[in-house]
Amino acid sequence: MSELEGMTAKQKLAYYQEKMYQDALDGKAKGELVCWSSSIAPCEFCEVMGIHMIYPENHAAAVGAKHGALAMIELAERRGYSLDICSYARINLAYMDLLVEEAKTGVTPKELEECPGPRIPLPDVIITCNNICNTLLKWYENLAVELNIPYIIIDVPYVHHWPIPEYTKEYIADQFEYAIKQLEDLCGKPFDRQKFIEVQEQCQRSVNAWDRAMGMACTVPSPLNGFDMFNFMALIVCARAKYAAEDTFNTLADELEAKAARGEDAFKGGEKFRIAWEGIACWPYLSHTYKSLKSLGCNMVGSTYPGAWSIHYTVGNMKEMGAGYCKMYSNTCLDHKVDVISDVLTSTSSTGITYHLNRSCKLMSFLNVETAEIVKERTGVPYVSFDGDQTDPRNFSPAQFDTRVQALAEIMEQNKK
Amino acid sequence: MSKVETILANMKAVAANPKQAIADAQAKTGKAAVGVLPVYAPEEIVYAAGALPVGCWGKATKNISKARTYLPAFACSIMQSIMEMELEGVYDDLKAVLVSSPCDTLKCMGQKWKGKCPVIQFVHPQNRNLESANVFLVEEYKLVRKALEEALGVTITDEAINKAIDVYNENRQAVRKFLEVAADYPQVIDPVARHAIMKARFFMDKADHTAAIKELTAELEAMPKEAWKGKKVILTGITAEPDEFLEILKEFDIAVVADDLAQESRQVRVDVPEGDEPLMRLAKQWQNMYGCSLATDRDKDRIPMICDMVEKYGADAVIYCQMKFCDPEEFDYPLLYSKMEEKEIRNLMIEIDQQASSFEQIRTRIQSFVEMF
Amino acid sequence: MYTMGIDIGSASSKVVILKDGNDIVAGEVIQFGTGSSGPQRALEAAFEKSGLSFADMTKVVATGYGRFSVEQADKQISEISCHAKGIHFMVPTARTIIDIGGQDAKAIKLDKRGTVSQFFMNDKCAAGTGRFLEVMSRVLEVPLDQMAEYDSRATEVVSVSSTCTVFAESEVISHLSNEIPKENIIAGVHASVASKACGLAYRTGLEEDIVMSGGVAQNAGVVRAISRELQKNVIVAPNPQIIGALGAALFAYDEAMKAQ
């Protein structure tokens, strides 16, 4: 691992990400199996089986951040996908079509050639977990049918009353066993239970390192800015079951601790306000939203992202592992959602919050009004809401965003007095 | 008025004025009303509690204003309308309301109920082929049962649920039989009437609905079949409301010979299977459900199902009634569309908005569609 | 024998009088649509031009959004069928029609006989229609009929990608305040309309010849943008605004022949 020595966390992030995409492509070429997975589905099972993992949501976000979303979105719309469907799904389904066309004809379609995101191989199996949304179930159903490949579902039923009931955990644990069986059938080999323990241990170490690094956002002033959080998130998604994540996040945490010890913040002393961002980033406008907030001295330190992958469980305990994947805040009732967001505000000392009314995500939008009101009542923290979309660049207005966050900064300024 | 005309007039009156229909049913039976939001719910438990389950599927001619505060514009029109009525107190006479969570919108709706009565939210499992999914659903139904007992101040016995299942199974069978027969009498059962009969189901005691349906079916069967000079279609989607859309079909001599609408045939597609434990029986009904965008369909069996329906009913075309902003349906469309094109099944997608006020584009699409034949 | 086609759209009214199903003796356009004085004025203009009256018309067919409000019509036929008919008459080799009107955009696939084999229409949204261009023309302070000319002088196509017309308006305003030349913004507006229309057109399979009709086809900027997007040659139908009315007049002729 000598080439990793002396690398910064940012360099490691780039290195590992590229390596994983490359490994998957190389592996596919050698006949190894590739799985497409939703971003908070259990990765443990496929890791044990030695299956390469690709995460379409991350891939779509990367395509979006590199301004390649529109071309894919238009292809999906040509196939008849409504423009009201999740833009991650539209990008991925269009990308899948292009990969299929390439595989059939041996010719790389122009749109695929020109797509700025990383190249990914077609999957041999897919796994999804509806802890993020039920839209994933439909999206992956379409992948499974179009590609005629095994479809692993981890159904974590919506927790309409907190806490998660025992019978829900039992149902999820049983699905884990079924997933294992599906993988055994696919791979033609038994599931290695000993290796499963090791993989779970690695996941726990990765998650601890993630918690440690993300926890640095609680320091005032913060050495971490939330947009870095958005970027580093890619690795907790893709490499939770690998040393890569643990390594990178520990390096990041070391760097941030050193920075904090020197009294430096992410804005070189310019942190005037600390705010939270509720919802997914607007990937095509990542730079615009970052600069717009930075110009107001707003450091985005609060996000529900860190918590989403903070999946802790006792190694070997299937029910606890099930609960870990079930507790994702968007899969839980309003009360719990409010608790999670209030905790983010308190722990990061945020004095303002922006709610992203995300055209792509009904689940992460339709409770915003209630959530914002109750959180404000409870914490006194003011909020603004803006219209946007995670990757469809046509549903965001920079002018609207700038005006709203400026108004938030003005309210925060008043509240300081 | 002939017997058929009388029954149709009654059904239409019920469908057009649910409030009156519910009041009439309550006056007759003394039952309390419990609301049931789309799409599926164990209504049998409500019925077993001695209450009248009432479908809450929005309202066609509703102006949306208050709901705008709580729901962004990209929520489907049924939910917009329900939210509006929650805020206007329309549901305040209900003793409770059942909300399932098969889509992301409904998950949220169950958490933001603005009516006065208690909301009982539950969730159907989606890994439906597993036995553990049934076990899970039984536990959810136990919560529903307990919450209903509290809201209504009654005890719901297993025996009562089993009896309710019998009433519902009989109704589903009667409705399915009726739909089969009605396909041969498009002159009598036009698209608007057909919808009214299916909609009336939501506001009548099921035993009464069954009786009326059986009588209507028998009357129809006694009538001579006439050749149909117009076109025959199959409707698929969530709903084909509002009536103005169905009126346009009627205007262009289009008969609905079968449907796969969540509001209509999907409600009666699958009976509750035999068994001892009533909640397990109800859970297995969900496991047996098929061809619906809201119930995991690993092989998209909905697609061959619709293609088969076209053949079975000699339909000229399929109309995909795409409820605007319903993503489960939006995901199914491209795959079904490709298959229908491949099989040279004529098809048309119509965007459904329950609150639509202008139908010119729909009329143009339907007219053009007919002109294509 | 004379037959008449009346096309009452949302933004304009068109009347065509046809002699023996072949010669256009009048083809009049008034820029006011259904519910206005437009239909009456278009009829008057056509009668004045031809020296004929309703009494001379063997059959009359109405099409367009206002087709059911034309009392004199013997029949109403949808604008999809009428555009197909009209285009087939004008350009017999046409297999794909892209029609952009005031509030509708449609893509129609034709078979060899010129009959409609599939069609797609825009959703309930002004983006990609004539209405969108009108809004942008107002924001940009450039008259609608000069937009194409501006577009021809563009050195670059700036992005106007918002789906929502209100957002697109703010996008355009921000381009203006960044002092981007109007020419380049207009080229962006045209590309935006083209992209929406092409989204529909792709679904037809894009068999050539591809022909454009409807009022927006008169805007050479949009036509260029569509051609660029599809990477195919796009023919503009002669007198594109009257195509629907022409199709209606041809249907009226068929009706008249059937009656004989």
Side-chain angles (χ1 to χ4, degrees), chain A residues 176-335:
Chain A
F176 287 165
E177 293 300 337
Y178 183 65
I180 289 171
K181 193 182 166 301
Q182 280 181 288
L183 286 173
E184 286 179 332
D185 290 347
L186 174 72
C187 301
K189 64 179 181 188
F191 186 76
D192 183 340
R193 299 272 168 176
Q194 181 52 42
K195 193 166 175 206
F196 184 42
I197 298 291
E198 289 159 22
V199 168
Q200 288 183 310
E201 284 168 351
Q202 178 59 62
C203 284
Q204 293 306 298
R205 285 195 301 274
S206 299
V207 165
N208 287 334
W210 166 253
D211 287 350
R212 192 184 147 219
M214 294 303 119
M216 291 306 294
C218 298
T219 314
V220 182
S222 168
L224 175 70
N225 91 65
F227 289 86
D228 282 338
M229 205 183 279
F230 284 158
N231 286 322
F232 277 101
M233 178 203 74
L235 214 59
I236 193 67
V237 173
C238 305
R240 211 159 57 249
K242 295 184 192 296
Y243 173 69
E246 180 189 352
D247 180 29
T248 308
F249 297 131
N250 276 328
T251 305
L252 177 62
D254 291 345
E255 287 170 8
L256 295 172
E257 278 172 8
K259 214 168 165 183
R262 294 194 300 270
E264 289 173 20
D265 72 36
F267 287 175
K268 300 197 170 69
E271 181 181 294
K272 205 169 154 200
F273 303 109
R274 298 168 62 82
I275 66 156
W277 174 296
E278 160 52 9
I280 303 177
C282 293
W283 296 108
Y285 297 94
L286 198 62
S287 148
H288 178 89
T289 47
Y290 170 68
K291 284 179 192 155
S292 175
L293 288 170
K294 194 179 174 186
S295 71
L296 296 163
C298 292
N299 189 8
M300 191 268 280
V301 291
S303 160
T304 48
Y305 270 162
W309 286 275
S310 187
I311 300 161
H312 297 274
Y313 51 80
T314 308
V315 170
N317 186 329
M318 288 290 221
K319 272 168 65 180
E320 258 190 44
M321 182 176 151
Y325 281 100
C326 189
K327 73 169 176 50
M328 166 71 181
Y329 82 115
S330 53
N331 193 47
T332 62
C333 60
L334 179 60
D335 290 343

Side-chain angles (χ1 to χ4, degrees), chain A residues 76 79-86 89 93 130 132-139 141-142 144-146 150-155 157-161 165 167-168 170-171 174-175 178 182 330-335 357-370 387, chain B residues 69-76 83 101-105 107-109 111-112 114 119 121-136 139-140 143 292-300 303 324-335 337-338 349 351:
Chain A
R79 266 220 65 191
Y81 283 104
S82 161
L83 56 86
D84 298 316
I85 286 179
C86 165
L93 288 160
N130 57 344
I132 302 174
C133 59
N134 270 22
T135 302
L136 277 164
L137 292 172
K138 297 303 293 183
W139 167 5
E141 190 173 288
N142 283 19
V145 173
E146 298 259 49
Y151 177 18
I152 300 173
I153 297 173
I154 304 297
D155 172 32
Y158 186 65
V159 184
H160 44 75
H161 289 90
Y167 63 83
T168 298
E170 280 160 16
Y171 168 47
D174 184 65
Q175 295 177 73
Y178 183 65
Q182 280 181 288
S330 53
N331 193 47
T332 62
C333 60
L334 179 60
D335 290 343
L357 193 72
N358 184 345
R359 189 67 193 237
S360 265
C361 190
K362 295 180 172 70
L363 189 57
M364 288 178 84
S365 295
F366 288 0
L367 287 173
N368 280 13
V369 178
E370 288 80 3
D387 295 291
Chain B
T69 313
Y70 299 100
L71 267 186
F74 53 100
C76 71
M83 179 56 73
S101 330
C103 68
D104 295 328
T105 304
K107 287 178 188 173
C108 296
M109 289 298 283
Q111 293 294 315
K112 57 192 292 170
K114 315 285 181 200
V119 57
Q121 191 170 20
F122 67 99
V123 52
H124 291 105
Q126 290 292 351
N127 219 339
R128 298 191 301 135
N129 47 338
L130 303 182
E131 184 54 29
S132 57
N134 295 336
V135 175
F136 167 84
E139 293 302 321
E140 286 286 296
L143 293 182
C292 173
S293 57
L294 294 154
T296 308
D297 188 5
R298 284 169 178 270
D299 302 315
K300 283 273 196 236
I303 296 173
K324 180 92 174 142
F325 303 119
C326 172
D327 31 44
E329 288 284 321
E330 286 165 350
F331 273 99
D332 280 359
Y333 173 69
L335 274 64
Y337 170 74
S338 301
M349 191 239 258
E351 223 169 51

Side-chain angles (χ1 to χ4, degrees), chain B residues 161-293:
Chain B
I161 302 176
N162 279 326
K163 270 191 188 152
I165 290 174
D166 289 343
V167 171
Y168 270 71
N169 274 350
E170 190 186 356
N171 178 262
R172 282 183 280 259
Q173 285 152 16
V175 172
R176 291 200 300 269
K177 167 89 189 291
F178 160 74
L179 292 174
E180 290 287 327
V181 172
D184 288 329
Y185 298 91
Q187 292 87 349
V188 186
I189 309 296
D190 63 47
V192 181
R194 191 182 184 281
H195 171 64
I197 290 159
M198 298 303 281
K199 191 171 181 178
R201 239 191 120 246
F202 290 122
F203 315 119
M204 291 170 73
D205 191 303
K206 289 296 179 292
D208 293 341
H209 188 259
T210 306
I213 283 288
K214 283 188 170 173
E215 197 179 351
L216 179 59
T217 309
E219 289 293 320
L220 280 177
E221 282 178 314
M223 291 165 73
K225 290 180 194 172
E226 286 172 45
W228 178 244
K229 63 181 187 345
K231 299 296 168 202
K232 295 177 175 179
V233 300
I234 288 167
L235 303 181
T236 178
I238 298 294
T239 171
E241 288 187 357
D243 273 355
E244 283 87 340
F245 165 60
L246 297 165
E247 292 283 1
I248 293 171
L249 296 184
K250 198 172 150 182
E251 180 185 326
F252 290 105
D253 286 335
I254 295 173
V256 177
V257 287
D259 79 86
D260 165 47
L261 296 168
Q263 194 187 17
E264 304 191 9
S265 278
R266 288 188 205 168
Q267 293 293 319
V268 298
R269 181 168 293 158
V270 171
D271 287 338
V272 175
E274 290 301 313
D276 302 324
E277 216 282 290
L279 296 186
M280 182 53 93
R281 294 177 66 192
L282 290 168
K284 284 185 172 165
Q285 183 200 25
W286 171 249
Q287 185 172 48
N288 295 343
M289 182 61 192
Y290 62 92
C292 173
S293 57

Side-chain angles (χ1 to χ4, degrees), chain B residues 1-2 24 44-46 75 135 155 181 200 219 240 256 276 285 357:
Chain B
M1 245 202 258
S2 74
D24 289 350
E44 287 87 341
I45 306 178
V46 178
V135 175
T155 304
V181 172
E219 289 293 320
V256 177
D276 302 324
Q285 183 200 25
S357 53

Side-chain angles (χ1 to χ4, degrees), chain B residues 251-252 324 333 337 341 346-348 351 353 356 360-361 363-369 371-372, chain C residues 64-65 67-68 76-82 103-104 116-124 203:
Chain B
E251 180 185 326
F252 290 105
K324 180 92 174 142
Y333 173 69
Y337 170 74
E341 288 291 298
R346 282 193 192 272
N347 64 91
L348 177 70
E351 223 169 51
D353 175 351
E360 286 319 305
Q361 207 200 44
R363 177 172 278 109
T364 299
R365 288 196 197 206
I366 296 292
Q367 187 177 8
S368 311
F369 192 59
E371 287 164 0
M372 274 167 62
Chain C
Y65 269 22
R67 65 187 177 281
F68 293 98
Q76 289 84 19
I77 294 178
S78 75
E79 51 266 41
I80 306 279
S81 302
C82 288
Q103 59 181 34
D104 267 346
V116 179
S117 62
Q118 186 61 286
F119 68 92
F120 301 94
M121 284 172 91
N122 64 305
D123 49 33
K124 278 192 289 183
R203 299 179 59 190

Side-chain angles (χ1 to χ4, degrees), chain B residues 311-327:
Chain B
E311 200 160 316
K312 180 177 170 193
Y313 294 97
D316 297 296
V318 172
I319 297 181
Y320 201 92
C321 302
Q322 174 63 60
M323 159 79 70
K324 180 92 174 142
F325 303 119
C326 172
D327 31 44

